[in-house]
Amino acid sequence: MHESRVVIFDTTLRDGEQAPGFSLRTDEKLLMARRLDDLGVDVIEAGFPIASADDADAVRLVATTVRRPVVAALARACAVDIERAAWALAPAARARIHTFIATSDLHLSRKLHITRDECLEAAIAAVRLARSHTDDVQFSAEDATRSDVDFLCRVVEAVITEGCTTVNLPDTVGYSTPDELFEFFTAIRGRVPNADRAVFSTHCHDDLGMATANTLAAVRAGAGQVEVAINGIGERAGNASCEEVVMAMRVRRDLLRCETGIRTEALFATSRTLAELTGQDVQANKAIVGRNAFAHEAGIHQDGVLKDRRTYEIMRPQDVGVPATTLVLGKHSGRHAVKQRCEDLGHLLDRLEVDRVYRAMIVRADAQKTITDEDLQQMVQSVRASAQADVATPAAGLAAAGVPVPVARPKATVGVRPR
Ligand code: KIV
Ligand code: ZN
């Protein structure tokens, strides 16, 4: 089975960091860059040096310190940006200048006020200048998916002729659907005569919630690089999420037939680092790294996972660095989960005790949403205390355990698993 190696281009520190609420100080950017290096990304886009002196300094610091991955810097298709990016990247072991210009008529006429021919000339000149600084040059056709395909093909052919090594075709406003993006990449790669001389890259925004699906569709159409961000951060609704794209490729390797250099066990820690640095947590139900991604509360699900985790889990929590599957106790939980959680906490309960703790838990869960380990410990203790009281004075003490119905006499002793 032929499998292609997809390049992971991480834009957390550029597209991600430029989104409201996600800005990072220079030292924080460096820490995050080290994490991305440890994760195994191939390219770190460290910033947009012309945007500010701090951004330029941060790129330079990352370029100086992080030696394995390629370090990329963004530059508009103009000399001042490219020179600034080249300065910031000068210390890098492997530097990439990433230059871009919009190619859609909407952007050309309404934003840039230039003609298609002027756009083409600017793209060629930008790549030529960037190539005078480094052999690794990426060109992005901003708003590519809403551009005229014939014109886009002309631009792509011209920049490749000029020596551009990676051509990125962004879905800048997250407008495409997966089928469309597949056709789009297939068409451009098929029509540009020198397409085989560059790696094609996809950069999808999540405005319609399709960034991950679109990224995978582009890969199926031959894109060799994916642009992603940790926790999916980025402009507006964000970029395709690194953890989703990478794990989709791993879990559905049978279908997608590609691999990455990512150490997936570091995904969760990388996600946590970003959340802590930015103060922006991911939503509980976020795929892969959300608090609930490996949590089960419904009794049927908990029972299934306890019997064979594959019933409700398509990957193991440890594959992404999540410590363990969580059985969340709440009013939907069943006796199996209560028993298991008690065992995890060191209490081996007999059937009667499980029943009592379970019923106490259900009563408590009506009043509070989830049951913590401390709650459960306390219930176990109460059930045991009431059982001892019961031996001495029948029916005494059950109320203390929160058990609404009197039950049969329990065994006097139970095992406690050594911790
Ligand atoms: O979304 C976009 O088009 C971009 C480019 C600058 C690559 O972020
Ligand atoms: Zn973007």
Side-chain angles (χ1 to χ4, degrees):
M1 176 170 86
H2 172 71
E3 290 199 345
S4 53
R5 167 71 161 76
V6 172
V7 173
I8 302 292
F9 177 108
D10 185 279
T11 189
T12 306
L13 296 178
R14 198 279 298 169
D15 207 320
E17 202 262 351
Q18 77 192 39
F22 290 98
S23 65
L24 296 170
R25 295 192 315 263
T26 302
D27 58 319
E28 295 171 330
K29 274 193 157 191
L30 181 60
L31 177 67
M32 199 58 213
R34 289 187 200 273
R35 283 271 185 279
L36 294 170
D37 181 9
D38 183 53
L39 180 65
V41 307
D42 300 291
V43 186
I44 295 176
E45 188 168 42
F48 189 13
I50 200 70
S52 71
D54 277 356
D55 233 37
D57 289 344
V59 173
R60 202 169 165 99
L61 186 61
V62 172
T64 309
T65 316
V66 179
R67 308 304 286 172
R68 181 196 54 83
V70 171
V71 179
L74 188 66
R76 288 170 300 182
C78 60
V80 61
D81 280 35
I82 293 168
E83 295 298 349
R84 193 84 183 127
W87 173 84
L89 290 171
R94 302 162 71 200
R96 174 179 299 185
I97 295 179
H98 174 194
T99 185
F100 76 100
I101 190 165
T103 50
S104 69
D105 288 334
L106 180 64
H107 278 237
L108 295 186
S109 64
R110 307 295 297 173
K111 185 183 82 174
L112 299 176
H113 306 292
I114 59 172
T115 64
R116 286 184 181 178
D117 282 345
E118 286 166 330
C119 167
L120 180 62
E121 278 166 29
I124 293 170
V127 171
R128 186 176 302 154
L129 179 59
R131 273 302 302 249
S132 72
H133 292 286
T134 170
D135 288 346
D136 189 345
V137 172
Q138 170 165 330
F139 172 79
S140 286
E142 191 188 11
D143 208 18
T145 53
R146 294 193 300 170
S147 302
D148 176 81
V149 172
D150 289 337
F151 175 60
L152 185 59
C153 286
R154 276 176 66 204
V155 174
V156 170
E157 182 181 353
V159 294
I160 295 175
T161 302
E162 212 53 56
C164 158
T165 41
T166 302
V167 175
N168 183 34
L169 302 177
D171 186 29
T172 300
V173 289
Y175 180 72
S176 298
T177 67
D179 285 351
E180 259 179 328
L181 213 66
F182 179 86
E183 297 299 334
F184 175 75
F185 270 81
T186 306
I188 307 285
R189 289 183 66 239
R191 285 171 59 171
V192 171
N194 53 3
D196 59 331
R197 284 168 41 198
V199 173
F200 278 74
S201 171
T202 181
H203 174 114
C204 298
H205 279 271
D206 207 30
D207 299 67
L208 291 173
M210 292 190 279
T212 297
N214 283 339
T215 300
L216 299 175
V219 169
R220 290 188 67 208
Q225 172 176 289
V226 295
E227 304 203 359
V228 292
I230 300 298
N231 297 345
I233 70 171
E235 285 285 359
R236 305 180 309 281
N239 286 91
S241 126
C242 177
E243 52 279 8
E244 291 175 17
V245 169
V246 166
M247 288 314 289
M249 285 178 185
R250 177 165 161 169
V251 172
R252 296 312 313 273
R253 203 167 170 168
D254 58 323
L255 190 75
L256 296 164
R257 300 186 176 214
C258 53
E259 56 181 5
T260 70
I262 295 293
R263 272 193 336 105
T264 62
E265 324 81 73
L267 281 169
F268 183 67
T270 313
S271 159
R272 294 312 313 155
T273 301
L274 181 65
E276 274 158 33
L277 290 177
T278 57
Q280 306 264 8
D281 214 343
V282 295
Q283 83 244 29
N285 62 327
K286 167 80 177 66
I288 320 294
V289 292
R291 191 171 70 247
N292 287 356
F294 295 93
H296 308 274
E297 182 178 331
I300 294 171
H301 289 215
Q302 291 182 335
D303 184 40
V305 168
L306 288 170
K307 287 173 176 153
D308 186 332
R309 61 147 203 98
R310 291 172 302 173
T311 51
Y312 290 102
E313 283 182 355
I314 58 168
M315 61 197 120
R316 296 177 312 159
Q318 53 269 41
D319 292 341
V320 299
V322 170
T325 298
T326 323
L327 299 182
V328 178
L329 294 182
K331 64 181 178 185
H332 304 112
S333 306
R335 285 173 174 73
H336 283 105
V338 169
K339 180 169 183 283
Q340 180 65 52
R341 193 74 206 126
C342 287
E343 280 184 19
D344 292 344
L345 294 170
H347 305 293
L348 294 179
L349 307 187
D350 64 19
R351 276 185 64 159
L352 202 55
E353 285 175 319
V354 170
D355 191 59
R356 287 179 161 190
V357 173
Y358 167 74
R359 285 185 291 140
M361 190 275 296
I362 292 294
V363 171
R364 182 84 67 95
D366 267 339
Q368 63 191 58
K369 280 201 172 74
T370 50
I371 302 296
T372 65
D373 286 349
E374 288 71 39
D375 294 333
L376 202 62
Q377 303 258 32
Q378 194 233 313
M379 284 174 220
V380 171
Q381 279 159 14
S382 299
V383 161
R384 286 183 171 163
S386 71
Q388 274 167 7
D390 204 19
V391 171
T393 52
L398 283 183
V403 180
V405 190
V407 293
R409 182 185 298 258
K411 278 189 210 158
T413 55
V414 288
V416 176
R417 182 198 277 176
R419 309 202 82 189

